[in-house]
Structures are given as structure tokens and as C-alpha cells.
Amino acid sequence: MKTLKKILKWTGITLLLVVIVITLAVASRQDLKFEAPYPDIHASKDTAVIARGKAFVYGAAHCAYCHTTLDKLPQVEKGEILPLSGGHVFMLPIGTLYSRNLTSDETGLGKLTDGEIARALRFGVGHDGRALFNLMPFNNLSDEDLTAVISYIRTLEPIKNEVPKNEFNAVGKMIKAFVLKPVGPDGEVPKSVTPGPTAEYGKYLVMNVANCRGCHTARDLHTGKYTGPFYAGGFKLPSEIDPSFTLCTPNITCDPKTGMLGKWTQEDFIARFRKGRMVKESIMPWGPFSHLSDDDLTAIYKFLKSVPPIENDPGPRLTKTI
């Protein structure tokens, strides 16, 4: 009996020490710094460049969807030009994240250089060296388009809005300490990309601007890691519009049985986008996407039709969970 008590005692002490060591390690790694180059990007005052940046921000890149608060969603859906002062709340399994203020106020991007903004978008490293969660898929945005986006952002009127700092729970702090690393380009970044109704340009929009792959592929909500085949759907996440529902993204390959693109013609595809939001709980940025040009939507359609079909039925798209 005494031997058993000793074993239990030392087992308890060992476990306590392990917990203390892990807790201290996690705490000491919350402010890790990373290095990344500053892209040679400088904001332009050219009106055509600014106009292209604006088209990205309120269109394919759907910045207005995330950098405005949820109560502004009806205005975003209508295509209104809203100030991007941040404060959008993302309730995730790792904690609560808030979108940043993008205006030129000191509570926004006013103190940052063009290079610091460009580095954050391309390499996922903040101005203070911290790794950013990969919520913005703009790592491979061309130099020309990255210049356009930053050029437009620099025209935003300053709005004072001190956005709260991200709040991580225990799991989030563990991931931040041991898993989170900056995500950069997955190849050579092009200087420019020629727009047009082509599959090549559609691939650029799908993978580097609109984030179709990011949502229509099964992922781990804790780490963001892809867990399923690209574009085959199955990414499950709560609806921020109505948290009592869980969403499951559909398969958008051209598989004839389970894929959306297996059933739609190009005309069907464009017509669906023009209708905008049809499912209230959906988190797809239907507003910004509904205002894309026919050429852009044609390009996206052509690329998705070129993706190998994957037979995968992700299940119901909307499930009541609460």
C-alpha cells in the first residue's frame, strides 16, 4: 500500500511539473518574431492604379466583407463603398479574432510603411515581426495588383477605431506557440497578370484573390491546414450570421454526380452570382462577388471546369446545431 501511495505521489508530482513546464513554454512563445523581406512595393497616385485596387478591395478580394462590422453586411451586399475601419469579429475554436482597421488613422495603417503592409500581405509577417493567421490568401498577388491594392488603401479617409487585440484561448495559445508560422508565396510571384475571360486568369483569381480554394476545401479550423482534396468541399464552420447553424461548403469541381460545376453551364454560373445571397446563413461574400464582371466570372468558371473532377458529397450545406 505504501509503495502504491509513493507511486501515485510521484506520478502526481511528475504530471504537475509537466503541466508547469508546458505552461511556461507556451507563455514564453506568445511573442515569437519572424523575418521576411519587404517587397519593393510603393503606393501610386495614378488614378487607374487606384481604380484597379478599389475593384479588388470591393470585388474579388472582398476586403469590405471582413474589414467592416457584421451589422454593415446589408450595405456590403449592395456594393456600397464603406470605410474599412475593421472590428469584424471571428469566433473560432482558437479564440476571438478581430479584423484590423485599414484606414490611414494611427489606429489603423497610418503609421505603417508601404513595405510593411506589403510584407504582411505577401509573407504573413506583421510590422512587429509576429506571424499572422493565414486569413488573407494574397501571398501570390502580383506586384502590380499588390501595388494597386495598397495604393487604394492609402486613399481611405482616417477613421479612429482602436480594434481590440485578438483573444486566444488555451488551444489558440498552444497553436500560436508551436504551430503558427508565416505563410508566404508558393512560387515565383508574377510582376503582372493579364486580366481576361481565360482559365489562366481564373486560376489567378481563384487561388490568389477570391480564396475559393480556402473555403471549398476541407480544413482544420484550429490550424487552417487542408485536410481534403482541393475544391471538393467539406469545410465545416459555424455561421457567423446565425451561430446556431453549421455550414458545410459544397464541392465545386465538375464531377457529374457531386460537383456544382458538373451541373452548371457558364451561363448558369454567372446567373447564380448575379442573384447574390440566397441562403441567409451563408458566409460566402455574395455581395462583392455578385458585382464581378462577366469576364472575371467567366475566367473563374473556365478554371474550375479545368480542375479534375472529384466525387465527394460533403453532406448537407446547412445544419442546425444549437
Side-chain angles (χ1 to χ4, degrees):
M1 181 63 72
K2 288 183 178 180
T3 302
L4 179 59
K5 286 183 177 179
K6 284 183 179 181
I7 292 173
L8 292 175
K9 174 184 175 181
W10 286 107
T11 299
I13 292 172
T14 301
L15 290 175
L16 179 61
L17 288 173
V18 169
V19 170
I20 291 173
V21 169
I22 291 175
T23 301
L24 291 174
V26 169
S28 69
R29 294 175 61 85
Q30 290 304 293
D31 296 307
L32 295 178
K33 306 298 182 186
F34 297 87
E35 295 292 333
Y38 293 94
D40 187 22
I41 299 294
H42 305 280
S44 169
K45 295 188 181 299
D46 186 295
T47 55
V49 173
I50 292 171
R52 179 161 176 76
K54 182 179 180 179
F56 267 102
V57 166
Y58 292 98
H62 55 277
C63 308
Y65 186 87
C66 291
H67 289 276
T68 54
T69 50
L70 194 57
D71 62 298
K72 301 289 195 306
L73 181 60
Q75 294 163 268
V76 173
E77 301 275 81
K78 293 176 184 177
E80 293 183 22
I81 305 303
L82 301 177
L84 308 180
S85 54
H88 194 116
V89 181
F90 297 91
M91 304 293 292
L92 300 173
I94 58 173
T96 304
L97 276 60
Y98 301 87
S99 67
R100 299 297 104 189
N101 181 349
L102 301 185
T103 74
S104 56
D105 186 74
E106 62 179 11
T107 60
L109 303 182
K111 293 182 177 180
L112 303 189
T113 66
D114 295 339
E116 287 173 327
I117 299 171
R119 185 175 74 157
L121 291 172
R122 180 162 290 170
F123 294 103
V125 176
H127 67 278
D128 56 0
R130 74 192 186 286
L132 304 178
F133 277 85
N134 190 33
L135 299 177
M136 300 180 292
F138 307 131
N139 314 97
N140 294 280
L141 205 62
S142 73
D143 286 349
E144 188 176 82
D145 290 338
L146 185 54
T147 298
V149 168
I150 293 175
S151 298
Y152 175 69
I153 287 174
R154 288 302 198 193
T155 70
L156 298 176
E157 292 295 325
I159 294 178
K160 196 170 194 63
N161 184 31
E162 190 75 55
V163 176
K165 292 182 178 180
N166 294 332
E167 302 165 5
F168 297 99
N169 56 29
V171 174
K173 289 177 180 178
M174 289 279 286
I175 289 172
K176 191 178 177 187
F178 301 112
V179 179
L180 181 63
K181 290 181 175 59
V183 177
D186 56 13
E188 184 177 351
V189 177
K191 294 295 182 184
S192 63
V193 177
T194 303
T198 64
E200 182 181 10
Y201 188 60
K203 179 179 181 180
Y204 176 72
L205 290 176
V206 164
M207 296 183 67
N208 306 317
V209 186
N211 200 27
C212 310
R213 180 177 65 176
C215 284
H216 288 277
T217 303
R219 304 178 75 171
D220 183 330
L221 258 181
H222 292 88
T223 65
K225 181 180 179 181
Y226 290 110
T227 59
F230 292 153
Y231 309 110
F235 185 22
K236 295 181 179 180
L237 64 170
S239 167
E240 59 179 356
I241 296 169
D242 186 344
S244 67
F245 284 93
T246 293
L247 302 166
C248 181
T249 57
N251 180 342
I252 56 172
T253 73
C254 56
D255 177 66
K257 292 182 181 178
T258 62
M260 299 295 296
L261 272 291
K263 306 176 180 69
W264 285 356
T265 65
Q266 181 176 304
E267 290 71 25
D268 293 333
F269 185 79
I270 293 175
R272 172 61 192 92
F273 276 84
R274 292 288 174 252
K275 291 177 182 177
R277 180 176 302 277
M278 295 175 67
V279 178
K280 182 187 72 174
E281 298 81 7
S282 173
I283 64 168
M284 183 158 166
W286 281 110
F289 287 171
S290 69
H291 300 293
L292 292 178
S293 69
D294 282 358
D295 277 0
D296 283 353
L297 291 173
T298 297
I300 291 171
Y301 177 83
K302 286 182 177 179
F303 169 68
L304 291 175
K305 288 292 283 187
S306 74
V307 172
I310 298 172
E311 185 173 345
N312 178 51
D313 182 357
R317 295 184 203 169
L318 195 64
T319 306
K320 186 78 170 177
T321 51
I322 298 177

